[in-house]
Amino acid sequence: MTSPRVRLRPDVAAIVPYRQGRTAAADAFKLSSNENPNPPLPAVLAVLADVAPNRYPDGAASALRDRLGTRWRVSPEQVHVAAGSVALIGNLIDATCGPGDEVLYAWRSFEGYPLLVATAGVESVRVPLTADGRHDLDAMAAAVSPRTRLILLCTPNNPTGPTIRADEFATFMSRVPPTVLVVLDEAYAEFVTEPSAVRGEDVIAAHPNLVVLRTFSKAYGLAGLRVGYMIGAEYVCDGARAVSMPLAVTDLAQRAAIVSLDHEDELLERVAHIVQRRERVRAALLEQGWEVPDAQGNFVWLPTGAGTAEAADILERGGIIARALGEGVRVSIGEEEAVDKLLRSTAEVVDALRGTHGTRG
Ligand SMILES: Cc1ncc(COP(=O)(O)O)c(C=O)c1O
Protein backbone atom coordinates (compact mmCIF):
# COMPACT_ATOMS: atom_id res chain seq x y z
CA MET A 1 0.00 0.00 0.00
CA THR A 2 1.37 3.42 -0.88
CA SER A 3 1.64 5.81 2.04
CA PRO A 4 -0.37 9.05 1.95
CA ARG A 5 1.43 11.99 0.33
CA VAL A 6 1.63 15.51 1.68
CA ARG A 7 -0.09 18.20 -0.34
CA LEU A 8 2.16 20.34 -2.52
CA ARG A 9 0.87 23.62 -3.95
CA PRO A 10 -0.62 22.48 -7.28
CA ASP A 11 1.11 25.32 -9.16
CA VAL A 12 4.44 24.29 -7.61
CA ALA A 13 3.95 20.66 -8.59
CA ALA A 14 3.56 21.88 -12.18
CA ILE A 15 6.83 23.86 -12.25
CA VAL A 16 9.64 22.50 -14.39
CA PRO A 17 12.78 22.99 -12.24
CA TYR A 18 15.65 25.19 -13.46
CA ARG A 19 17.75 23.34 -16.01
CA GLN A 20 21.43 24.07 -15.55
CA GLY A 21 23.88 24.15 -18.45
CA ARG A 22 25.23 20.61 -18.95
CA THR A 23 28.73 19.74 -17.81
CA ALA A 24 31.32 18.74 -20.40
CA ALA A 25 33.50 15.65 -20.77
CA ALA A 26 37.23 16.16 -20.21
CA ASP A 27 37.94 16.78 -23.91
CA ALA A 28 34.89 19.02 -24.51
CA PHE A 29 34.16 22.67 -23.70
CA LYS A 30 31.28 23.73 -21.47
CA LEU A 31 29.79 26.68 -23.32
CA SER A 32 26.30 26.26 -21.91
CA SER A 33 26.13 28.61 -18.89
CA ASN A 34 27.67 31.93 -19.97
CA GLU A 35 30.42 31.48 -17.45
CA ASN A 36 33.79 33.21 -17.46
CA PRO A 37 36.47 30.75 -18.59
CA ASN A 38 39.23 32.47 -16.57
CA PRO A 39 40.36 31.17 -13.18
CA PRO A 40 40.05 33.60 -10.23
CA LEU A 41 42.72 36.29 -9.84
CA PRO A 42 45.46 35.35 -7.35
CA ALA A 43 44.18 38.08 -4.99
CA VAL A 44 40.73 36.45 -4.97
CA LEU A 45 42.23 33.03 -4.29
CA ALA A 46 44.13 34.52 -1.35
CA VAL A 47 40.85 35.70 0.19
CA LEU A 48 39.33 32.28 -0.20
CA ALA A 49 42.04 30.82 2.02
CA ASP A 50 41.46 33.45 4.69
CA VAL A 51 37.79 32.99 5.65
CA ALA A 52 36.49 31.47 8.90
CA PRO A 53 33.63 29.17 7.89
CA ASN A 54 32.63 28.54 11.52
CA ARG A 55 31.31 32.14 11.69
CA TYR A 56 28.13 33.47 10.09
CA PRO A 57 28.65 36.13 7.44
CA ASP A 58 27.68 39.78 7.86
CA GLY A 59 24.02 39.41 6.89
CA ALA A 60 23.83 43.07 5.90
CA ALA A 61 26.87 42.82 3.59
CA SER A 62 27.81 46.24 5.00
CA ALA A 63 31.34 46.57 3.60
CA LEU A 64 30.28 45.54 0.09
CA ARG A 65 27.23 47.82 0.15
CA ASP A 66 29.38 50.75 1.32
CA ARG A 67 31.78 50.11 -1.50
CA LEU A 68 29.05 49.80 -4.13
CA GLY A 69 27.21 52.85 -2.77
CA THR A 70 30.33 54.97 -3.26
CA ARG A 71 30.78 53.64 -6.76
CA TRP A 72 27.16 54.30 -7.77
CA ARG A 73 26.96 57.61 -5.85
CA VAL A 74 24.06 56.37 -3.73
CA SER A 75 23.72 55.61 -0.03
CA PRO A 76 24.39 52.02 1.16
CA GLU A 77 20.64 51.80 1.90
CA GLN A 78 20.04 52.08 -1.84
CA VAL A 79 22.09 48.92 -2.41
CA HIS A 80 20.76 45.40 -1.79
CA VAL A 81 23.14 42.43 -2.02
CA ALA A 82 21.90 38.87 -2.54
CA ALA A 83 23.16 35.44 -3.56
CA GLY A 84 23.26 36.20 -7.28
CA SER A 85 20.85 38.14 -9.43
CA VAL A 86 18.45 35.19 -9.49
CA ALA A 87 17.97 35.81 -5.78
CA LEU A 88 17.52 39.56 -6.38
CA ILE A 89 14.83 38.92 -9.00
CA GLY A 90 13.05 36.52 -6.63
CA ASN A 91 13.22 39.14 -3.85
CA LEU A 92 11.75 41.82 -6.12
CA ILE A 93 8.89 39.59 -7.28
CA ASP A 94 8.10 38.64 -3.67
CA ALA A 95 8.29 42.26 -2.57
CA THR A 96 5.96 43.60 -5.26
CA CYS A 97 3.57 40.83 -6.32
CA GLY A 98 0.73 38.89 -4.76
CA PRO A 99 -1.90 36.49 -6.10
CA GLY A 100 -3.43 37.70 -9.35
CA ASP A 101 -0.58 40.14 -10.12
CA GLU A 102 1.46 40.07 -13.31
CA VAL A 103 5.15 40.22 -14.16
CA LEU A 104 5.87 41.36 -17.69
CA TYR A 105 8.96 40.39 -19.64
CA ALA A 106 10.18 39.75 -23.16
CA TRP A 107 10.38 36.22 -24.48
CA ARG A 108 12.62 34.53 -25.17
CA SER A 109 14.79 35.84 -22.35
CA PHE A 110 16.56 34.54 -19.25
CA GLU A 111 15.26 31.06 -18.37
CA GLY A 112 15.08 32.00 -14.69
CA TYR A 113 12.29 34.57 -15.18
CA PRO A 114 9.33 32.23 -15.76
CA LEU A 115 10.53 29.94 -13.00
CA LEU A 116 10.88 32.70 -10.41
CA VAL A 117 7.50 34.19 -11.34
CA ALA A 118 5.79 30.79 -11.11
CA THR A 119 7.47 30.06 -7.77
CA ALA A 120 5.93 33.22 -6.35
CA GLY A 121 2.49 32.09 -7.56
CA VAL A 122 2.01 35.07 -9.85
CA GLU A 123 1.33 35.40 -13.57
CA SER A 124 3.89 35.74 -16.37
CA VAL A 125 3.01 37.97 -19.30
CA ARG A 126 5.48 37.37 -22.11
CA VAL A 127 5.91 39.71 -25.05
CA PRO A 128 7.64 38.14 -28.09
CA LEU A 129 11.01 39.53 -29.15
CA THR A 130 11.32 41.14 -32.58
CA ALA A 131 12.63 39.00 -35.44
CA ASP A 132 16.17 40.21 -34.73
CA GLY A 133 16.08 39.12 -31.09
CA ARG A 134 15.40 42.54 -29.54
CA HIS A 135 12.89 43.65 -26.90
CA ASP A 136 9.72 44.98 -28.55
CA LEU A 137 9.31 47.86 -26.13
CA ASP A 138 6.25 49.31 -27.90
CA ALA A 139 4.44 46.01 -27.50
CA MET A 140 5.68 45.70 -23.92
CA ALA A 141 4.36 49.16 -23.00
CA ALA A 142 1.04 48.23 -24.60
CA ALA A 143 0.93 45.00 -22.55
CA VAL A 144 1.08 46.81 -19.18
CA SER A 145 -2.21 46.19 -17.39
CA PRO A 146 -3.69 47.30 -14.05
CA ARG A 147 -2.34 44.00 -12.66
CA THR A 148 1.27 44.59 -13.78
CA ARG A 149 3.52 45.07 -10.75
CA LEU A 150 6.95 44.35 -12.18
CA ILE A 151 8.63 44.55 -15.59
CA LEU A 152 11.88 42.70 -16.28
CA LEU A 153 14.11 44.15 -19.01
CA CYS A 154 17.15 42.09 -19.91
CA THR A 155 19.97 44.02 -21.62
CA PRO A 156 21.85 42.55 -23.35
CA ASN A 157 19.15 39.96 -23.75
CA ASN A 158 20.03 36.43 -22.73
CA PRO A 159 20.00 34.36 -24.94
CA THR A 160 19.72 36.44 -28.13
CA GLY A 161 22.35 39.13 -27.42
CA PRO A 162 21.12 42.62 -28.44
CA THR A 163 20.93 45.50 -25.96
CA ILE A 164 18.08 47.92 -25.34
CA ARG A 165 18.93 51.37 -26.74
CA ALA A 166 18.98 54.37 -24.39
CA ASP A 167 16.43 56.28 -26.50
CA GLU A 168 13.91 53.43 -26.66
CA PHE A 169 14.35 52.85 -22.92
CA ALA A 170 13.54 56.52 -22.22
CA THR A 171 10.37 56.34 -24.33
CA PHE A 172 9.37 53.10 -22.64
CA MET A 173 9.83 54.56 -19.14
CA SER A 174 7.64 57.52 -20.07
CA ARG A 175 4.82 55.06 -20.89
CA VAL A 176 5.09 52.92 -17.73
CA PRO A 177 3.02 54.03 -14.72
CA PRO A 178 5.28 55.27 -11.89
CA THR A 179 3.72 52.68 -9.54
CA VAL A 180 5.11 49.78 -11.60
CA LEU A 181 8.66 48.66 -10.78
CA VAL A 182 10.97 48.30 -13.78
CA VAL A 183 14.02 46.06 -13.38
CA LEU A 184 16.99 46.54 -15.69
CA ASP A 185 18.81 43.20 -15.55
CA GLU A 186 22.33 43.99 -16.73
CA ALA A 187 24.02 40.70 -15.91
CA TYR A 188 26.36 41.16 -18.89
CA ALA A 189 26.87 44.95 -18.72
CA GLU A 190 30.67 44.77 -18.75
CA PHE A 191 30.70 42.99 -22.13
CA VAL A 192 28.65 45.69 -23.90
CA THR A 193 30.40 47.73 -26.59
CA GLU A 194 27.34 49.16 -28.35
CA PRO A 195 27.48 52.95 -27.74
CA SER A 196 23.71 53.46 -28.00
CA ALA A 197 22.94 50.87 -25.29
CA VAL A 198 21.16 51.98 -22.14
CA ARG A 199 23.40 51.82 -19.06
CA GLY A 200 22.03 51.57 -15.57
CA GLU A 201 24.44 54.13 -14.16
CA ASP A 202 23.21 56.76 -16.64
CA VAL A 203 19.48 56.32 -15.94
CA ILE A 204 19.06 55.17 -12.34
CA ALA A 205 18.83 58.69 -10.88
CA ALA A 206 16.12 59.76 -13.32
CA HIS A 207 13.58 57.03 -12.54
CA PRO A 208 12.30 56.42 -8.99
CA ASN A 209 10.53 53.22 -10.15
CA LEU A 210 13.70 51.67 -11.63
CA VAL A 211 16.15 49.19 -10.13
CA VAL A 212 19.36 48.08 -11.79
CA LEU A 213 20.72 44.56 -11.28
CA ARG A 214 24.38 43.63 -11.59
CA THR A 215 26.15 40.38 -10.83
CA PHE A 216 29.67 39.23 -10.01
CA SER A 217 28.96 35.92 -11.80
CA LYS A 218 29.89 36.85 -15.35
CA ALA A 219 32.57 39.49 -16.02
CA TYR A 220 34.03 39.09 -12.52
CA GLY A 221 34.16 35.29 -12.77
CA LEU A 222 32.56 34.53 -9.38
CA ALA A 223 29.56 32.48 -10.56
CA GLY A 224 30.29 29.74 -8.06
CA LEU A 225 30.34 32.09 -5.07
CA ARG A 226 26.86 33.55 -5.70
CA VAL A 227 26.80 37.30 -5.26
CA GLY A 228 24.98 40.10 -7.06
CA TYR A 229 23.49 43.48 -6.17
CA MET A 230 20.79 45.92 -7.06
CA ILE A 231 20.65 49.70 -6.96
CA GLY A 232 17.30 51.36 -6.35
CA ALA A 233 15.16 53.45 -4.04
CA GLU A 234 15.80 52.76 -0.35
CA TYR A 235 12.22 51.60 0.35
CA VAL A 236 12.36 49.20 -2.62
CA CYS A 237 15.69 47.79 -1.39
CA ASP A 238 14.17 47.50 2.10
CA GLY A 239 11.26 45.53 0.62
CA ALA A 240 13.68 43.20 -1.14
CA ARG A 241 15.75 42.83 2.05
CA ALA A 242 12.62 42.02 4.04
CA VAL A 243 11.86 38.97 1.90
CA SER A 244 15.43 37.83 1.25
CA MET A 245 16.85 34.66 2.72
CA PRO A 246 18.80 35.68 5.83
CA LEU A 247 22.58 35.18 5.77
CA ALA A 248 22.56 33.74 2.23
CA VAL A 249 25.54 35.75 0.95
CA THR A 250 28.64 34.13 2.41
CA ASP A 251 31.59 36.00 3.83
CA LEU A 252 33.67 34.39 1.11
CA ALA A 253 31.45 35.86 -1.60
CA GLN A 254 31.37 39.33 -0.02
CA ARG A 255 35.13 39.49 0.36
CA ALA A 256 35.82 38.07 -3.10
CA ALA A 257 33.49 40.69 -4.57
CA ILE A 258 35.36 43.51 -2.80
CA VAL A 259 38.76 42.18 -3.88
CA SER A 260 37.42 41.90 -7.45
CA LEU A 261 36.43 45.56 -7.35
CA ASP A 262 39.94 46.36 -6.06
CA HIS A 263 41.38 44.56 -9.10
CA GLU A 264 38.76 45.63 -11.58
CA ASP A 265 41.19 46.87 -14.24
CA GLU A 266 42.79 43.44 -14.44
CA LEU A 267 39.38 41.78 -14.71
CA LEU A 268 38.14 44.19 -17.35
CA GLU A 269 41.24 43.48 -19.42
CA ARG A 270 40.17 39.84 -19.44
CA VAL A 271 36.66 40.91 -20.38
CA ALA A 272 38.10 42.85 -23.33
CA HIS A 273 39.74 39.64 -24.58
CA ILE A 274 36.43 37.79 -24.35
CA VAL A 275 34.75 40.62 -26.26
CA GLN A 276 37.40 40.41 -29.03
CA ARG A 277 36.83 36.66 -29.19
CA ARG A 278 33.07 37.21 -29.39
CA GLU A 279 33.49 39.59 -32.33
CA ARG A 280 35.75 37.12 -34.10
CA VAL A 281 33.36 34.22 -33.53
CA ARG A 282 30.32 36.22 -34.65
CA ALA A 283 32.09 37.42 -37.80
CA ALA A 284 33.05 33.85 -38.67
CA LEU A 285 29.50 32.64 -38.05
CA LEU A 286 28.07 35.38 -40.29
CA GLU A 287 30.57 34.27 -42.89
CA GLN A 288 29.22 30.72 -42.60
CA GLY A 289 25.73 32.07 -43.34
CA TRP A 290 24.28 32.24 -39.82
CA GLU A 291 21.94 35.08 -38.94
CA VAL A 292 23.45 35.78 -35.53
CA PRO A 293 21.79 38.76 -33.80
CA ASP A 294 24.01 41.53 -32.46
CA ALA A 295 25.97 39.84 -29.66
CA GLN A 296 26.62 42.15 -26.69
CA GLY A 297 27.03 39.58 -23.91
CA ASN A 298 29.54 36.74 -23.57
CA PHE A 299 27.49 34.48 -25.86
CA VAL A 300 26.13 34.16 -29.39
CA TRP A 301 22.70 32.95 -30.53
CA LEU A 302 22.25 30.52 -33.38
CA PRO A 303 18.67 30.60 -34.69
CA THR A 304 18.37 26.92 -35.54
CA GLY A 305 14.54 26.74 -35.48
CA ALA A 306 13.23 23.24 -36.02
CA GLY A 307 16.80 21.96 -36.26
CA THR A 308 17.73 22.96 -32.71
CA ALA A 309 18.06 19.48 -31.18
CA GLU A 310 20.04 18.23 -34.17
CA ALA A 311 22.32 21.27 -34.04
CA ALA A 312 23.01 20.77 -30.33
CA ASP A 313 23.82 17.10 -31.00
CA ILE A 314 26.27 17.97 -33.75
CA LEU A 315 27.95 20.55 -31.53
CA GLU A 316 28.20 18.04 -28.71
CA ARG A 317 29.76 15.44 -30.99
CA GLY A 318 32.26 18.14 -31.95
CA GLY A 319 33.19 18.73 -28.30
CA ILE A 320 31.01 21.79 -27.66
CA ILE A 321 28.38 21.68 -24.95
CA ALA A 322 25.95 24.49 -25.84
CA ARG A 323 22.49 25.38 -24.59
CA ALA A 324 19.54 24.32 -26.76
CA LEU A 325 16.64 26.67 -25.97
CA GLY A 326 13.51 25.98 -27.99
CA GLU A 327 14.08 27.80 -31.26
CA GLY A 328 17.84 28.27 -31.06
CA VAL A 329 21.15 27.35 -29.53
CA ARG A 330 23.10 29.70 -27.26
CA VAL A 331 26.86 29.30 -27.20
CA SER A 332 28.97 31.03 -24.56
CA ILE A 333 32.26 32.64 -25.51
CA GLY A 334 34.67 30.53 -23.51
CA GLU A 335 38.28 29.45 -23.88
CA GLU A 336 40.31 30.46 -26.96
CA GLU A 337 40.97 26.75 -27.56
CA ALA A 338 37.22 26.20 -28.06
CA VAL A 339 36.91 28.58 -31.00
CA ASP A 340 38.19 26.31 -33.79
CA LYS A 341 36.19 23.37 -32.49
CA LEU A 342 33.08 25.52 -32.34
CA LEU A 343 33.44 26.89 -35.86
CA ARG A 344 34.12 23.43 -37.30
CA SER A 345 30.93 22.17 -35.68
CA THR A 346 28.78 25.12 -36.72
CA ALA A 347 29.92 24.62 -40.33
CA GLU A 348 28.80 21.02 -40.02
CA VAL A 349 25.43 22.16 -38.65
CA VAL A 350 24.98 24.47 -41.65
CA ASP A 351 25.45 21.52 -44.01
CA ALA A 352 23.20 19.20 -42.00
CA LEU A 353 20.33 21.66 -41.59
CA ARG A 354 20.45 22.88 -45.16
CA GLY A 355 19.44 19.39 -46.20
CA THR A 356 16.74 18.75 -43.61
CA HIS A 357 15.17 22.03 -42.50
CA GLY A 358 15.96 24.55 -45.18
CA THR A 359 17.14 27.09 -42.57
CA ARG A 360 20.24 29.17 -42.99
CA GLY A 361 21.62 27.62 -39.82
C1 LIG B 1 20.09 37.83 -17.69
C2 LIG B 1 20.51 37.09 -16.48
N1 LIG B 1 20.10 37.52 -15.29
C3 LIG B 1 20.48 36.89 -14.17
C4 LIG B 1 21.27 35.77 -14.21
C5 LIG B 1 21.63 35.10 -12.93
O1 LIG B 1 22.93 35.34 -12.58
P1 LIG B 1 23.47 35.13 -11.11
O2 LIG B 1 22.34 34.63 -10.27
O3 LIG B 1 24.58 34.17 -11.22
O4 LIG B 1 23.90 36.49 -10.66
C6 LIG B 1 21.72 35.28 -15.42
C7 LIG B 1 22.56 34.08 -15.48
O5 LIG B 1 22.77 33.45 -16.46
C8 LIG B 1 21.32 35.97 -16.59
O6 LIG B 1 21.70 35.53 -17.79
Side-chain angles (χ1 to χ4, degrees):
M1 208 179 82
T2 53
S3 51
R5 289 160 62 99
V6 297
R7 253 180 68 91
L8 295 182
R9 258 170 54 197
D11 56 331
V12 166
I15 290 174
V16 180
Y18 184 73
R19 234 175 10 104
Q20 203 174 1
R22 305 228 330 269
T23 48
D27 60 344
F29 290 96
K30 181 180 182 240
L31 305 181
S32 53
S33 296
N34 293 350
E35 292 155 335
N36 192 318
N38 297 301
L41 295 176
V44 172
L45 283 176
V47 167
L48 304 189
D50 184 36
V51 159
N54 54 316
R55 302 290 179 195
Y56 284 112
D58 169 11
S62 315
L64 181 54
R65 282 172 49 220
D66 280 351
R67 181 66 181 268
L68 292 167
T70 305
R71 177 196 185 87
W72 283 75
R73 297 200 190 89
V74 297
S75 72
E77 288 73 30
Q78 292 169 275
V79 184
H80 169 49
V81 169
S85 30
V86 276
L88 295 165
I89 298 161
N91 293 164
L92 289 168
I93 296 169
D94 288 342
T96 56
C97 297
D101 290 339
E102 294 174 352
V103 177
L104 180 66
Y105 52 90
W107 196 252
R108 183 173 287 275
S109 192
F110 175 44
E111 289 290 282
Y113 296 161
L115 182 66
L116 292 162
V117 173
T119 305
V122 294
E123 299 295 319
S124 275
V125 176
R126 301 174 179 192
V127 177
L129 296 171
T130 62
D132 53 354
R134 302 171 49 82
H135 281 54
D136 186 342
L137 289 177
D138 267 347
M140 290 185 75
V144 173
S145 86
R147 297 200 293 154
T148 309
R149 294 283 168 274
L150 187 70
I151 302 174
L152 296 164
L153 300 179
C154 186
T155 179
N157 188 51
N158 173 12
T160 51
T163 47
I164 293 171
R165 287 195 320 269
D167 60 342
E168 58 184 355
F169 174 79
T171 307
F172 178 74
M173 289 306 286
S174 72
R175 293 179 64 186
V176 172
T179 49
V180 174
L181 185 66
V182 177
V183 177
L184 199 61
D185 181 353
E186 294 190 282
Y188 304 94
E190 297 82 1
F191 298 96
V192 172
T193 50
E194 169 55 51
S196 68
V198 65
R199 290 203 167 263
E201 51 270 60
D202 297 337
V203 291
I204 187 69
H207 303 286
N209 60 330
L210 176 69
V211 300
V212 174
L213 307 190
R214 293 285 173 91
T215 179
F216 287 96
S217 294
K218 308 294 180 182
Y220 295 86
L222 300 181
L225 290 183
R226 316 300 307 127
V227 54
Y229 65 95
M230 67 182 230
I231 306 293
E234 181 174 341
Y235 76 94
V236 175
C237 289
D238 284 344
R241 276 188 275 275
V243 295
S244 76
M245 172 94 69
L247 305 170
V249 186
T250 63
D251 194 26
L252 212 74
Q254 294 179 33
R255 293 174 62 178
I258 291 171
V259 172
S260 298
L261 292 170
D262 291 341
H263 293 78
E264 193 167 40
D265 289 350
E266 228 174 307
L267 285 166
L268 293 182
E269 222 171 278
R270 291 172 162 200
V271 166
H273 284 120
I274 295 172
V275 166
Q276 282 167 13
R277 198 171 299 149
R278 172 189 81 198
E279 297 301 311
R280 210 158 18 95
V281 167
R282 180 165 182 266
L285 289 168
L286 293 174
E287 191 76 14
Q288 289 181 358
W290 291 96
E291 291 174 354
V292 184
D294 185 21
Q296 291 289 315
N298 62 345
F299 50 89
V300 289
W301 175 246
L302 305 176
T304 41
T308 294
E310 190 180 347
D313 280 350
I314 293 171
L315 289 171
E316 183 163 353
R317 282 201 298 277
I320 298 295
I321 308 299
R323 187 73 158 257
L325 292 163
E327 61 282 9
V329 177
R330 189 195 67 200
V331 189
S332 308
I333 302 299
E335 296 81 350
E336 178 59 34
E337 300 74 42
V339 171
D340 285 348
K341 252 186 180 180
L342 170 65
L343 295 175
R344 267 199 304 277
S345 300
T346 51
E348 222 182 288
V349 176
V350 171
D351 287 342
L353 298 196
R354 192 180 284 129
T356 53
H357 298 288
T359 68
R360 299 199 66 198

